[in-house]
């Protein structure tokens, strides 16, 4: 029923857009109805991103770096089966094999990463001189051009994937839906399905009481704070919606269609000629990541994620974020100061119980059958194990399958198949391979119950993991919970306009912005339940100006930015989880994460053509370059083409820089817009 | 036979003689300012041949005739070269109306009253700022130099108060016409607001808003359509010091916030397809002393629109168009013979890479209003030509009031890029979206358009 309603909404939206596009021009000029002035406008845009290298997203099944690699596995006697007389890796047992992922997970090719049709309708209604209503309806349709993986295709192995939400993990990629456990409609003004998304990024009433110095906006909205472009030092009120083209759209467009709208009350008041105060309170709305096996997914799909937004009650209307900002401008000087108390919308991840009751491999004579049998032979803890629990002789559950359901691992295909893959993906996800395993063992007694024990080094971990994967009959999938925590952001900013006799230096605008967040909660690099709590500061300096290089061309916009963070990278991954590789567990980085941005826009005469360039340089060896050409063909037609070049392996360990995560995303994007 | 006492050559000789001698005394028969002060009209200052198009053309063109390719040769001397070419080759037409002789119809009523009341009270101080001579404070209202002697005085008055109201809001529609096919390639709608905290003659407190006495002007331009530019706005805050660049803040929809822009960014197209710069506003879009070498280079009669152009027959005051390859290039315009214009040139001294090297501006001697502008590129070649039309907004029984008197303002502007043939047309319209209304002296426009909070509000639906 609900699906039918959503389809009807999508169909009605498309029809409304077509009606507006094809309607009389006078309708677009606005009209008066019942004393209210109504204005409607919008655009249709086709967006296509084509890979220029054929590189695949390593976070997805098809792009897995082990997809076509054959890796040897050897099983060992678990210490817990030997009353801890041996360590992991001391005593091989006569089970060894080789495994290649693509023998289980079929390959697929994708040259087109992204193709959507976007339509937006904007409506403004002036109800009175003091009250208006503004809305923007955004509708997006993505056909099945990106076919990465179908969960059904592995149903013949290990009983298939049964954990997690079926819409995300059991079938074809779900391009658009934001799915959390316990709430079928987590975003109040969004209706989405596998291929479509319809929502209101703007849907608010604006009231201007008194003398007009104050404006109050009530409804769904986005709030942008700060002067830095791309760097979100002060831009903290909203999370990001990364479902569509991640952060790979036009760089200088910034996050204009990425900030997740949230129901809010915002009050902006011009206290004096030079002082602005801006306050808001919002229903907490999380950052939305791309779904598993969609083109720009960032969470490796060997993980199954349980988003606890609803289960932890954070989707309730009384779970709010709020903030206050003052902004003063005195011509050459300016300042900002603000404080925000919010739920960090990005969330943090930890191991969580899979809830999947599935035994190890039950084939006769297999490693898994030995584990299942040995487990069954143990004494039930409640019956025969008084006193201290001894996992060698006691068991907590009725079967190994039940034990595994209380662990963060699911016996299932399309997970991690080898210790090499575990190390590699821990490193690329900025997690600690060894500590991550140990944290799972520590935090989940069920794992100890299933003969797992902490390891001391990489050799022991390799032995433990390969034994476990062989016991599983292929691979194990890891289950993560995504949770959200409150934090306080304290922010300061200052601006200065340089006046100089030197033509180039004259009118350089400097903006220095700082954010300090005490006790920020991060994903622990070992995914432990305790997370990682530490103070973080972010400093950014933005220098921009318009400069005329020639008499014939309009001024060139130039922007140069530096950002430094002391605890995490640009997207919030703790630096402690960096510097891992396929052969070693992450040891962490000392010092800060530092980034440089350079961007420019050069309009041609009359602005009919514009050339943009944006770049991001990670000092630890990654670079992103984006040249763009924009052609304003006519008043209502615009064509844009931009190329994204990403190299996360300039030098050093690729897992030490931000950009190796999207190293695959060399692509040309073409956007054709029809405005109305 | 009527004997003409002062024939056309007399006027011409006087204009040339005075100009060559560096003398600027407006009026031919007597000082114009004196004639206006004494009688409220200009008739005593000019001979008959400068008071009607018939007189000037010796009857070849009569008031009410339309000037077009067939008869433009008779008024070639009254036109700048660009309009002449457009009339001759592009089908442009100009309807002729009687010369306005009543000075009270050539500016807002209160502005003229203040001009007469404050005549002789202005001076330039040591910094070159126009001040009230009695106390050295900012100017107190009206035209500070109603009897101008220099080009600088003309530009000073123009820069001090563009729209001649204490506060003005112009809802406008803008059309960009391609020089290749004469079709409208881009069109925009927006609102322009300007607000004077000094030299106020209507809004209380007068003559200054004390807290803002150090400012000359607040001015915002905001685009409402098309959708992709909706909410794009720029706020200029002008210091009273005539040498200081305005602070420039902008709301760009892509950034979703107000950002500060370099103050020198005044020669950039604001939106695609447009060649209009902030610097072009009212032919005096930059602080007075950021330009220099003001010099009078000519005087003489001219044809321009000062009356009969407001179109109340259209519910939104939209004017008709004609001419060009697609019949869309030019506004339907009525012009009258201006007995005397003063032609002043100036150079952008503080803009080292400005795309233009100088501007030539025609001022109507009757009201010192700008009636035409021609800019030149860096090579000294003619670049763009601006002509427009003003009006007192009353026609028959239709009136748009500004307090006790009919509204006086511009009606439309045409900017022609000589080198590409592209044309930009602007039309002041009654209202856009029900809430952006053209008009004058509304104190609420400060909070509605002229603060950073206002820019955020204007960008509302693009948020």
């Amino acid at each position: 029923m609900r699906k039918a309603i959503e389809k009807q909404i999508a169909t009605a939206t498309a029809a409304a857009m077509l009606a507006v596009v094809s309607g009389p021009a006078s309708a677009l000029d606005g009209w008066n109805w019942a004393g209210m002035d109504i204005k409607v406008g919008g655009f249709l845009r086709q967006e296509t991103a084509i890979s220029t290298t054929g590189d695949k997203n390593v976070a997805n099944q098809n792009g897995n770096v082990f997809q076509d690699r054959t890796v040897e596995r050897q099983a060992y006697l678990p210490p817990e089966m030997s009353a801890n007389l041996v360590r992991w890796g001391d005593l091989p047992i006569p089970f060894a094999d080789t495994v290649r992922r693509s023998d289980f997970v079929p390959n697929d090719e994708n040259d087109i990463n992204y193709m959507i049709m976007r339509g937006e309708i904007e409506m403004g209604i002036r109800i009175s001189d003091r009250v208006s209503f503004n809305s923007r309806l955004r509708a997006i349709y993505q056909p099945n051009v990106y076919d990465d993986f179908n969960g059904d295709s592995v149903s013949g192995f290990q009983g298939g994937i049964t954990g997690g939400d079926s819409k995300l993990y059991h079938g074809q990629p779900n391009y658009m839906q934001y799915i959390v456990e316990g709430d079928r409609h987590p975003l109040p003004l969004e209706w989405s399905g596998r291929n479509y998304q319809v929502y209101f990024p703007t849907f608010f009433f604006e009231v201007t009481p008194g003398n007009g110095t104050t404006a109050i906006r009530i409804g769904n909205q986005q709030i942008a704070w700060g002067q830095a472009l791309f760097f979100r030092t002060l831009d903290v009120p909203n999370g990001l919606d990364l479902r569509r083209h991640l952060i790979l759209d036009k760089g200088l467009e910034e996050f204009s269609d990425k900030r997740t709208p949230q129901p809010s009350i915002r009050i902006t008041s011009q206290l004096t000629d030079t002082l602005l105060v801006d306050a808001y309170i919002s229903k907490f709305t999380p950052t939305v990541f791309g779904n598993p096996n969609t083109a720009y997914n960032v969470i490796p799909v060997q993980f199954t994620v349980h988003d606890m937004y609803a289960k932890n009650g954070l989707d309730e209307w009384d779970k709010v974020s709020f903030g206050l900002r003052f902004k003063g401008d005195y011509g050459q000087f300016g300042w900002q100061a603000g404080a925000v108390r919010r739920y960090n919308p990005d969330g943090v991840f930890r191991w969580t119980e899979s809830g999947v009751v599935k035994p190890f491999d039950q084939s006769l004579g297999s490693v898994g059958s030995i584990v299942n049998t040995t487990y069954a032979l143990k004494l039930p803890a409640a019956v025969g194990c008084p006193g201290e629990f001894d996992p060698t002789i006691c068991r907590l559950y009725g079967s190994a399958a039940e034990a595994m359901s209380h662990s963060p691992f699911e016996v299932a295909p399309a997970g991690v198949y080898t210790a090499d893959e575990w190390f590699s993906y821990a490193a690329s996800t900025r997690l600690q391979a060894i500590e991550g395993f140990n944290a799972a063992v520590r935090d989940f007694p069920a794992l100890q119950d299933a003969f797992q024990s902490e390891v001391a080094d990489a050799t022991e971990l390799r032995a433990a993991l390969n034994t476990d994967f062989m016991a599983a009959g292929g691979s194990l999938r890891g289950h993560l919970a995504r949770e959200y925590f409150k934090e306080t952001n304290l922010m300061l900013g200052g601006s200065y306009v340089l006046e100089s006799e030197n033509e180039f230096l004259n009118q350089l605008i400097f903006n220095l912005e700082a954010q300090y967040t005490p006790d920020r909660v991060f994903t622990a690099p070992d995914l432990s339940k305790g997370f990682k709590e530490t103070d973080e500061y972010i400093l950014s300096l933005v220098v921009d100006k318009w400069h005329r290089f020639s008499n014939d061309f309009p001024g060139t916009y130039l922007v140069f930015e530096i950002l430094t963070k002391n605890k995490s990278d640009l997207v919030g991954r703790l630096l402690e989880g960096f510097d891992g590789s396929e052969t070693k567990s992450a040891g962490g980085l000392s010092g800060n994460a530092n980034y440089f941005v350079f961007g420019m826009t050069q309009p041609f005469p009359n602005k009919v053509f514009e050339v943009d360039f944006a770049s991001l340089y990670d000092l630890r060896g990654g670079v992103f370059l984006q040249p763009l050409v924009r052609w304003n063909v006519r008043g209502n037609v615009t064509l844009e083409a931009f190329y994204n070049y990403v190299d996360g392996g300039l030098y050093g360990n690729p897992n030490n820089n931000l950009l190796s995560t999207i190293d695959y995303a060399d692509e040309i994007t073409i956007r054709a817009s029809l405005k109305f | 036979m009527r004997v003409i006492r002062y024939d056309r050559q007399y006027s011409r000789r006087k204009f040339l003689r005075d100009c060559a001698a560096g003398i600027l005394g407006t009026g031919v028969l007597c000082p114009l300012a004196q004639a206006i002060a004494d009688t409220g009209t200009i008739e005593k200052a000019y001979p008959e041949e400068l008071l009607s198009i018939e007189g000037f053309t010796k009857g070849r063109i009569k008031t009410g005739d339309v000037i077009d390719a067939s008869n433009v040769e008779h008024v070639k001397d009254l036109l700048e070269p660009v309009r002449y070419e457009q009339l001759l080759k592009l089908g442009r037409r100009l309807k002729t109306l009687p010369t306005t002789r009543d000075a009270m119809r050539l500016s807002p009523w209160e502005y003229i009253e203040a001009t007469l009341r404050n005549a002789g009270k202005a001076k330039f101080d040591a910094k070159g700022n126009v001040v009230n001579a009695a106390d050295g404070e900012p100017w107190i209202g009206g035209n500070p130099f109603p009897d101008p002697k220099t080009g600088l005085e003309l530009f000073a008055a123009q820069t001090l108060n563009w729209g001649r109201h204490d506060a003005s809001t112009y809802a406008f529609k803008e059309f960009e016409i391609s020089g290749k096919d004469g079709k409208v390639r881009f069109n925009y709608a927006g609102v322009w607001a300007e607000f004077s905290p000094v030299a106020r003659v209507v809004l209380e407190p007068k003559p200054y808003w004390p807290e803002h006495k150090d400012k000359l002007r607040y001015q915002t331009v905001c685009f409402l359509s098309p959708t992709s530019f909706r909410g794009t706005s720029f706020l200029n805050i002008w210091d009273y010091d005539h040498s200081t660049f305005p602070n420039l803040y902008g709301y760009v929809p892509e950034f979703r916030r107000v950002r500060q822009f370099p103050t020198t960014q005044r020669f950039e197209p604001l939106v695609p397809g447009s060649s209009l710069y902030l610097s072009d506003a009212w032919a005096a879009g930059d602080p007075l002393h950021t330009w220099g070498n003001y010099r009078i280079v000519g005087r003489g009669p001219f044809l321009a629109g000062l009356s009969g152009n407001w179109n109340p027959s259209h519910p939104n005051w939209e004017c008709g168009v004609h001419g060009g390859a697609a019949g869309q290039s030019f506004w339907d315009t009525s012009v009258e013979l201006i007995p005397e214009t003063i032609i002043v040139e100036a150079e952008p001294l503080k803009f080292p890479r400005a795309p233009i090297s100088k501007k030539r501006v025609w001022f109507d001697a009757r009201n010192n209003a700008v009636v035409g502008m021609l800019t030149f590129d860096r090579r000294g070649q003619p670049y763009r030509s601006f002509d427009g039309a003003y009006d007192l907004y009353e026609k028959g029984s239709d009136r748009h009031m500004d307090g006790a008197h009919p509204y006086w303002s511009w009606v439309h502007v045409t900017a022609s890029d000589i080198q590409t043939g592209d044309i930009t047309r602007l039309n002041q319209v009654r209202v856009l979206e029900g809430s952006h209304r053209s008009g004058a002296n509304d104190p609420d426009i400060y909070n509605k358009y002229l603060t950073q909070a206002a820019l955020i509000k204007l960008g509302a639906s693009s948020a």
Side-chain angles (χ1 to χ4, degrees), chain A residues 85-97:
Chain A
L85 296 175
V86 297
R87 303 283 306 165
W88 273 111
D90 285 349
L91 189 59
I93 55 177
F95 294 94
D97 66 7

Side-chain angles (χ1 to χ4, degrees), chain A residues 102-357:
Chain A
S102 57
D103 290 340
F104 308 93
V105 180
N107 279 328
D108 209 339
E109 297 298 326
N110 281 298
D111 289 328
I112 296 177
N113 286 340
Y114 177 66
M115 180 186 284
I116 66 164
M117 172 62 81
R118 172 198 297 258
E120 300 196 7
I121 296 179
E122 174 191 313
M123 177 185 286
I125 304 174
R126 192 184 68 90
I127 298 166
S128 73
D129 285 341
R130 301 259 178 230
V131 182
S132 63
F133 168 76
N134 290 282
S135 73
R136 179 184 288 262
L137 175 65
R138 182 173 289 150
I140 291 168
Y141 176 74
Q142 168 154 358
N144 296 334
V145 294
Y146 185 85
D147 289 321
D148 184 85
F149 172 73
N150 188 335
D152 286 339
S153 65
V154 293
S155 58
F157 302 103
Q158 299 176 264
I161 301 172
T162 55
D165 191 287
S166 60
K167 287 181 180 172
L168 293 177
Y169 296 101
H170 302 170
Q172 291 179 293
N174 188 316
Y175 301 110
M176 291 294 173
Q177 267 183 302
Y178 176 48
I179 293 171
V180 303
E181 296 184 0
D183 188 342
R184 296 179 63 190
H185 196 204
L187 302 175
L189 287 177
E190 173 176 313
W191 299 268
S192 54
R194 180 171 170 267
N195 293 98
Y196 69 90
Q197 180 187 17
V198 180
Y199 72 114
F200 286 95
T202 301
F203 191 91
F204 63 78
F205 288 89
E206 182 170 82
V207 182
T208 310
N211 61 3
T213 58
T214 301
I216 304 169
R217 291 180 182 178
I218 304 167
N220 221 36
Q221 55 191 296
Q222 304 166 26
I223 300 169
W225 281 1
Q227 295 297 302
L229 302 176
F230 196 76
F231 293 150
R232 307 190 73 211
T233 312
L234 267 61
D235 185 19
V236 297
N238 295 85
L240 296 178
D241 185 345
L242 302 171
R243 275 174 286 186
R244 297 181 290 272
H245 202 193
L246 197 61
I247 52 171
L248 297 166
D249 279 319
K250 182 182 170 187
L252 293 179
E253 207 168 67
E254 226 228 357
F255 300 106
S256 54
D257 84 331
K258 299 286 189 288
R259 290 185 189 86
T260 313
Q262 48 196 14
S264 310
I265 299 172
R266 182 186 189 186
I267 302 174
T268 306
S269 183
Q270 192 79 39
L271 290 183
T272 70
D273 192 25
T274 53
L275 185 60
L276 179 85
V277 62
D278 198 358
Y280 78 94
I281 182 166
S282 299
K283 177 184 183 297
F284 167 57
T285 306
T287 288
V288 183
F289 294 110
N291 282 334
N293 294 305
T294 58
Y296 305 101
N297 164 46
V298 292
I299 301 171
V301 291
Q302 299 96 322
F303 288 121
T304 296
V305 177
H306 303 262
D307 196 319
M308 308 302 281
Y309 175 54
K311 277 197 168 174
N312 288 352
L314 301 180
D315 60 338
E316 301 293 333
W317 284 81
D318 61 347
K319 298 297 183 291
V320 296
S321 297
F322 52 90
L324 176 71
R325 177 184 67 143
F326 291 91
K327 184 170 185 279
D329 280 288
Y330 306 92
Q332 195 172 1
F333 298 93
W335 60 271
Q336 294 183 80
V340 164
R341 180 71 175 160
R342 66 167 189 169
Y343 289 94
N344 186 338
D346 297 341
V348 288
F349 297 86
R350 63 167 173 83
W351 291 120
T352 191
E353 289 187 5
S354 72
V356 177
V357 181

Side-chain angles (χ1 to χ4, degrees), chain B residues 432-454:
Chain B
L432 289 170
E433 300 181 8
S435 62
H436 304 289
R437 297 175 183 279
S438 293
N441 299 328
D442 176 2
D444 291 342
I445 72 165
Y446 177 75
N447 287 322
K448 189 173 181 181
Y449 297 110
L450 298 159
T451 64
Q452 292 198 36

Side-chain angles (χ1 to χ4, degrees), chain A residues 549-571:
Chain A
F549 289 97
S550 85
N551 302 326
D552 298 326
F553 278 70
T556 308
Y557 176 67
L558 303 165
V559 58
F560 178 73
E561 304 185 316
I562 307 170
L563 178 136
T564 185
K565 296 178 76 176
N566 69 327
K567 295 293 182 185
S568 67
D569 74 348
L570 192 64
V571 295

Side-chain angles (χ1 to χ4, degrees), chain B residues 202-215:
Chain B
V202 174
L203 290 180
E204 296 293 349
K206 294 183 287 193
Y208 313 127
W209 187 7
E211 301 90 332
H212 303 262
K213 201 166 70 172
D214 60 334
K215 301 291 189 299

